[in-house]
Amino acid sequence: MERAYFMKLSKIYAFVPFFAALCSVSAQEGAASAPSAPASEPSVSAQGSAPASSQDRSYVEDFINKDADLFWVDSSSGRENKVRFKSADSSKLILVDVSGGGEISVPKGASNFKFFLKGGDNWNRARYAYGRGNWDEAIAYLRPMVYPVIGMACLPKENFNAHAHIETLISSLANAGRYKELSALLGALPLSECPQSLIEVACAAGKELVANGYADDVVQVLDRFSFDSSNMDSVSDIMDLLSSLRKAGKLKECLVAYTKLGNVEGNPDKNAALIWMSYCDLALGNRMSAEVYLSGMKLERSDVNFSLLQMVKGMLKASGEKPDYSVALDMFAEGIVYGSPSNPWMSELMFNAGCAYKKLKQFTAANEIFAQISSFWPGDSFSEKAKKEIVPIKKKDEKTDNRE
């Protein structure tokens, strides 16, 4: 028993020297993924700055049927008209000719139609304010530009130049902590059709909302994403958002989304989606459903998701009426050895290994692992859980424990 215990523990300890460095790298990468400021700052004074409303609320309704400096250009004829966005459906946009020419129906796929938002000095002022961290000022300038055209975000970048305006407003709202307005803005975006860069910014903003207690709002936004083969470039961003929601306890909603993603052929994250689907099933008490999927899933040890699969398989073995903690521990240990400290599930995997040792009354090993989690992931939710699992051991108990 003692030999097996030290063999398992040595496998886990083999990765210890790498944890701190890789956790630091992961934190830097996470910070780098946040929406960034425009590449260059215009040297324009923010004179005549528009006062920002102090109320955090939705502003979508305030700007319905309002004019923006929006121009429709027919590239084949060179004709340019100032227009107002009215509505959109699955195939076309409806705009109003501001000069009195009536409504214009434009097919979404018409490449010869381009739309330009001419923000002028106010766009420059918004960017200048953004670059200086004056979020409320940037927001005040951006609202009358962005909200009247929010329904046009479905157009590709080559046909519509206002994606940068939208992304800057999203980032400004997140930085200003205007979470109600940010939630309403994301809820108004046609996310199922938006370009990948905008979806990336929206998902980062969604994670910010979840972190600040707006998980229910993000669940509503989740329904606006497309979970089919047309949106595969954005799968990794959506998976990151689902991870935030899952950790916030939105297991039922994540289960539905993971199931959809797991059934899309060509999805590069198909295996991860199916494993997390089984994880949610297991957490919700649907043990039989989780067992069906996990029993049929086999991955090479070199696969990045092998470690995750071993964690969930181990959790399955450690659950139910007759849990087998010894087999579960073997699976957890294998997942740790063939995983990476930078895997986002590693703290949870280590926690599960510690709990398995504790269930087997190997308290010294359990305490060592719980201490590692607290040391290497101090801000992680499993760090706090691990601290609570540590068991005080008297010297007499240690001798007994080491003989196991």
Side-chain angles (χ1 to χ4, degrees):
M1 185 69 171
E2 183 179 14
R3 179 180 175 82
Y5 150 69
F6 279 111
M7 285 181 66
K8 289 176 184 174
L9 197 59
S10 66
K11 289 179 181 179
I12 295 173
Y13 286 171
F15 275 82
V16 170
F18 301 99
F19 283 167
L22 285 180
C23 286
S24 174
V25 171
S26 297
Q28 293 174 12
E29 289 175 348
S33 67
S36 58
S40 59
E41 307 298 340
S43 55
V44 177
S45 165
Q47 58 186 353
S49 60
S53 168
S54 60
Q55 188 177 3
D56 184 19
R57 62 174 178 82
S58 171
Y59 287 81
V60 176
E61 299 295 324
D62 297 44
F63 292 92
I64 289 178
N65 295 324
K66 294 289 180 68
D67 284 339
D69 266 340
L70 180 67
F71 290 83
W72 164 45
V73 178
D74 185 341
S75 56
S76 59
S77 66
R79 182 184 174 188
E80 181 178 300
N81 282 17
K82 186 172 183 180
V83 294
R84 180 192 314 124
F85 172 75
K86 182 178 180 181
S87 63
D89 61 24
S90 60
S91 61
K92 64 183 181 300
L93 302 176
I94 303 295
L95 303 118
V96 177
D97 188 333
V98 174
S99 64
E103 290 189 356
I104 306 166
S105 177
V106 180
K108 286 183 177 178
S111 59
N112 61 314
F113 295 136
K114 299 186 185 300
F115 297 91
F116 293 91
L117 186 62
K118 298 181 179 180
D121 287 343
N122 281 347
W123 171 228
N124 287 333
R125 289 168 182 154
R127 295 174 67 210
Y128 182 74
Y130 184 103
R132 294 177 64 85
N134 296 333
W135 314 121
D136 284 343
E137 187 175 333
I139 290 165
Y141 283 123
L142 288 164
R143 280 182 187 138
M145 298 181 213
V146 169
Y147 283 115
V149 300
I150 199 73
M152 298 177 68
C154 58
L155 295 175
K157 287 188 172 183
E158 55 269 24
N159 293 94
F160 185 51
N161 76 325
H163 293 98
H165 303 66
I166 299 170
E167 291 169 14
T168 306
L169 178 56
I170 290 173
S171 182
S172 297
L173 292 171
N175 285 319
R178 290 178 170 269
Y179 299 125
K180 291 180 181 178
E181 183 173 358
L182 177 58
S183 175
L185 174 58
L186 295 184
L189 281 171
L191 290 170
S192 63
E193 301 175 89
C194 285
Q196 193 274 333
S197 62
L198 185 50
I199 293 177
E200 180 181 354
V201 173
C203 286
K207 290 167 65 177
E208 180 77 7
L209 286 170
V210 173
N212 285 279
Y214 287 80
D216 288 334
D217 291 35
V218 177
V219 166
Q220 300 302 315
V221 172
L222 196 64
D223 291 336
R224 301 183 69 82
F225 286 105
S226 172
F227 293 95
D228 58 34
S229 57
S230 67
N231 207 23
M232 290 302 97
D233 289 343
S234 302
V235 166
S236 60
D237 297 308
I238 295 173
M239 289 287 285
D240 282 345
L241 180 57
L242 287 174
S243 178
S244 295
L245 285 169
R246 189 186 68 249
K247 291 175 182 177
K250 300 300 178 183
L251 295 170
K252 290 181 181 179
E253 295 82 358
C254 288
L255 174 61
V256 173
Y258 285 132
T259 303
K260 291 178 181 177
L261 288 170
N263 287 319
V264 178
E265 292 302 325
N267 177 4
D269 287 335
K270 181 182 178 73
N271 285 334
L274 289 173
I275 297 170
W276 283 120
M277 177 192 74
S278 300
Y279 174 101
C280 292
D281 258 333
L282 192 56
L284 291 167
N286 306 326
R287 195 173 186 280
M288 186 176 295
S289 176
E291 190 169 14
V292 168
Y293 278 96
L294 292 173
S295 63
M297 186 172 289
K298 293 181 177 16
L299 298 177
E300 296 294 328
R301 287 173 170 172
S302 58
D303 192 303
V304 68
N305 292 310
F306 176 79
S307 175
L308 174 61
L309 179 61
Q310 293 305 99
M311 181 183 83
V312 183
K313 282 186 173 181
M315 291 171 70
L316 180 66
K317 288 294 182 181
S319 66
E321 294 181 3
K322 297 181 179 179
D324 192 334
Y325 296 111
S326 181
V327 172
L329 184 56
D330 284 337
M331 292 178 171
F332 295 143
E334 192 173 23
I336 291 168
V337 171
Y338 290 98
S340 165
S342 61
N343 290 143
W345 55 82
M346 186 55 71
S347 63
E348 184 171 2
L349 177 51
M350 293 281 286
F351 180 79
N352 278 301
C355 288
Y357 274 121
K358 189 174 178 180
K359 288 291 186 181
L360 293 169
K361 301 189 183 303
Q362 297 181 22
F363 300 119
T364 300
N367 285 354
E368 288 287 349
I369 293 175
F370 292 140
Q372 288 176 26
I373 297 169
S374 299
S375 175
F376 295 117
W377 294 278
D380 192 277
S381 61
F382 284 96
S383 176
E384 293 304 312
K385 292 180 181 179
K387 290 176 184 176
K388 295 176 182 178
E389 292 291 340
I390 293 175
V391 177
I393 302 175
K394 297 178 183 178
K395 283 191 175 182
K396 183 173 70 173
D397 296 329
E398 283 182 340
K399 290 177 183 179
T400 303
D401 186 48
N402 289 335
R403 286 199 301 269
E404 290 178 346

